[in-house]
Amino acid sequence: MVEVKGAEILICGAGIIGLTVARELISAGYKDICLIEKEDALGRHASGRNSGVLHAGIYYTPDTLRAKSCLKGNMLMKEYCKEHGLPLFDSGKVIVAKNEQEIPILKELFKRATANGAKVELIDETQLNEIEPAAKTCESALYSYDTAVVDPKAVLKSLYDGLLQTGKVTILKNTQFKGIKGSAACMTTKGEITFGTFINAAGAYSDKVAHAFGVGLGFSLVPFKGIYRKLRPERASMIRGSIYPVPDIRNPFLGVHFTRGIDGSVYLGPTAIPALGRENYGILKGVDSEAIEILRRALVLFSENPKFREVAFTEPKKYLFKYFFEDARVLVKDLRPEDVIPTDKAGIRPQLVDWKTKELVTDFMVVKDGNSVHVLNSISPAFTSSMDFARFIVNNYINNAA
């Protein structure tokens, strides 16, 4: 068993952000890096449970971190997959409008995408039929050329193996963060580990880790559950790439959509159901002692944030097949209830909330405090953005640290 007493840089969390930050640190010349991971394997949570879609910078307000890093991250991830022989499906994506009222939003997405450097095109119904015959839209749709799909767990394993091969990185699994001791020691379930710099990449637990350092006390996470269904295998061929709805751009959720994966399976989802735990993947699975506090936070948002209230009214219905199916059916020409079957795929979106404003934080957030750096709100498109975002973190918060 590997035992580590200290490291130049200690990273909490070996998800996609932790691994890519470690990789970027190696490129920057660091030689003594340790990652701690509470699970016994990689990809147990968001990094391994996402759809594998590489987004192309369409939805995000220009000049935000998400907008700046998404397309660059997309290109870097594609390049990495090609170099390492990992599965990559250049699927493309269409965003379709259900009615005339959604056309202005579709045009706004086109403006945002163009401002962010994405290769997109507003297409008519004839063009849509050539690209994605099963999709239907009102008048026009948005086509994204650069959207692609990867295998998230294959990417994680490749990054993990590459880091270990450098001889400069130690990754301790089954090692949970328990707190800090002084300003340069981390308490874990495997004992004390000293550090020169601490990087919090703990995903769904990043707020808890930050709070242990006295950082981000006005922010905490509210989990949203994404459940999926899938097309029956014999019907999967009806979807060529990805079909997305026009989203409600007031909220950071994209709506139930169709995604053809690396293996040819087509998933429908995810939902954005307020959850009762950071790992609440089932009905009751993952509901723990924090559930009452999470419920309290959700009730505060429900009473004071109309946008959250709308999500809380509409999304839980999608546990029921009828409502989930209705969301999916309007995106395609011919979908029958018997075409859609259950799947155990589910994920949690750990959404940061600013409790001063009672608003959901819509951008990535990085906070430096002394010798600690905290990556908060690593929501979608964090997987897509990760390689460019990691470079941003290292260049701006580690290499240029005062």
Side-chain angles (χ1 to χ4, degrees):
M1 182 179 70
V2 177
E3 186 173 349
V4 175
K5 295 296 184 182
E8 179 184 12
I9 297 182
L10 179 62
I11 301 174
C12 180
I16 191 65
I17 299 298
L19 294 175
T20 52
V21 166
R23 179 172 175 263
E24 199 60 38
L25 287 167
I26 293 297
S27 297
Y30 293 89
K31 299 177 181 178
D32 180 20
I33 302 163
C34 176
L35 289 89
I36 58 172
E37 167 57 49
K38 77 180 183 71
E39 303 293 352
D40 61 355
L42 302 183
R44 296 287 194 206
H45 303 295
S47 294
R49 288 175 173 268
N50 65 79
S51 63
V53 172
L54 296 185
H55 295 283
I58 292 171
Y59 304 99
Y60 320 115
T61 305
D63 295 326
T64 60
L65 283 175
R66 294 204 295 167
K68 291 176 180 178
S69 63
C70 184
L71 190 58
K72 292 178 183 176
N74 172 304
M75 298 304 174
L76 288 171
M77 185 69 78
K78 286 179 181 177
E79 183 180 336
Y80 180 87
C81 289
K82 290 172 183 176
E83 287 179 358
H84 293 80
L86 302 178
L88 173 64
F89 172 37
D90 282 310
S91 60
K93 176 172 84 173
V94 293
I95 301 174
V96 298
K98 295 190 291 290
N99 50 52
E100 290 182 357
Q101 288 71 40
E102 291 188 339
I103 299 299
I105 304 172
L106 197 67
K107 291 179 179 178
E108 171 61 24
L109 292 179
F110 176 79
K111 289 179 183 178
R112 289 186 182 187
T114 302
N116 293 336
K119 185 181 179 182
V120 293
E121 182 181 354
L122 283 169
I123 58 176
D124 60 26
E125 293 177 80
T126 300
Q127 291 170 299
L128 175 64
N129 187 61
E130 293 172 357
I131 296 167
E132 195 69 73
K136 65 179 179 181
T137 195
C138 175
E139 296 182 15
S140 63
L142 187 65
Y143 178 52
S144 167
Y145 288 83
D146 294 320
T147 301
V149 179
V150 298
D151 180 341
K153 290 190 176 180
V155 171
L156 294 172
K157 184 180 186 307
S158 178
L159 288 167
Y160 172 85
D161 291 343
L163 290 173
L164 294 185
Q165 287 168 11
T166 68
K168 300 172 183 177
V169 179
T170 303
I171 301 177
L172 302 179
K173 299 175 185 174
N174 291 309
T175 305
Q176 187 171 354
F177 174 89
K178 302 297 288 184
I180 60 169
K181 181 179 179 182
S183 61
C186 171
M187 306 305 295
T188 78
T189 50
K190 295 286 183 67
E192 181 180 314
I193 303 174
T194 60
F195 56 82
T197 299
F198 181 94
I199 301 175
N200 170 11
Y205 295 88
S206 58
D207 59 333
K208 283 192 165 187
V209 174
H211 293 170
F213 284 80
V215 172
L217 298 179
F219 299 84
S220 59
L221 292 167
V222 170
F224 287 82
K225 185 187 305 183
I227 61 172
Y228 293 80
R229 297 179 189 271
K230 65 188 297 187
L231 285 185
R232 193 174 297 281
E234 56 267 29
R235 290 286 282 161
S237 61
M238 69 183 284
I239 308 297
R240 291 182 177 178
S242 290
I243 305 173
Y244 279 59
V246 171
D248 179 349
I249 56 177
R250 299 172 301 164
N251 282 315
F253 310 113
L254 300 183
V256 169
H257 50 265
F258 292 77
T259 300
R260 187 176 186 86
I262 290 294
D263 64 355
S265 298
V266 174
Y267 284 92
L268 292 70
T271 59
I273 300 169
L276 289 176
R278 297 169 193 250
E279 300 176 21
N280 180 207
Y281 300 118
I283 300 295
L284 296 176
K285 182 181 178 182
V287 177
D288 56 22
S289 59
E290 195 185 8
I292 294 175
E293 173 58 22
I294 290 173
L295 180 60
R296 185 195 69 79
R297 293 175 196 160
L299 288 172
V300 170
L301 288 176
F302 185 88
S303 65
E304 299 192 33
N305 186 320
K307 293 174 288 186
F308 176 85
R309 189 158 55 244
E310 185 173 338
V311 170
F313 271 131
T314 59
E315 288 293 315
K317 294 179 181 178
K318 295 173 191 176
Y319 269 124
L320 301 176
F321 179 82
K322 172 186 174 182
Y323 295 100
F324 187 103
F325 178 77
E326 283 302 309
D327 258 26
R329 182 185 62 80
V330 296
L331 305 180
V332 293
K333 296 171 182 173
D334 180 26
L335 188 69
R336 302 162 299 186
E338 58 268 28
D339 296 333
V340 182
I341 59 176
T343 174
D344 59 2
K345 182 177 176 66
I348 294 289
R349 177 194 180 99
Q351 174 65 54
L352 196 69
V353 177
D354 181 342
W355 292 105
K356 183 177 180 180
T357 63
K358 308 298 190 299
E359 292 288 341
L360 307 187
V361 179
T362 57
D363 201 6
F364 300 148
M365 183 174 171
V366 184
V367 180
K368 180 174 174 59
D369 183 69
N371 62 341
S372 67
V373 176
H374 302 269
V375 184
L376 304 173
N377 208 41
S378 50
I379 53 174
S380 179
F383 194 96
T384 301
S385 298
S386 58
M387 291 184 174
D388 184 71
F389 186 40
R391 189 170 295 172
F392 169 82
I393 293 166
V394 171
N395 288 342
N396 291 277
Y397 294 92
I398 308 297
N399 289 342
N400 294 333

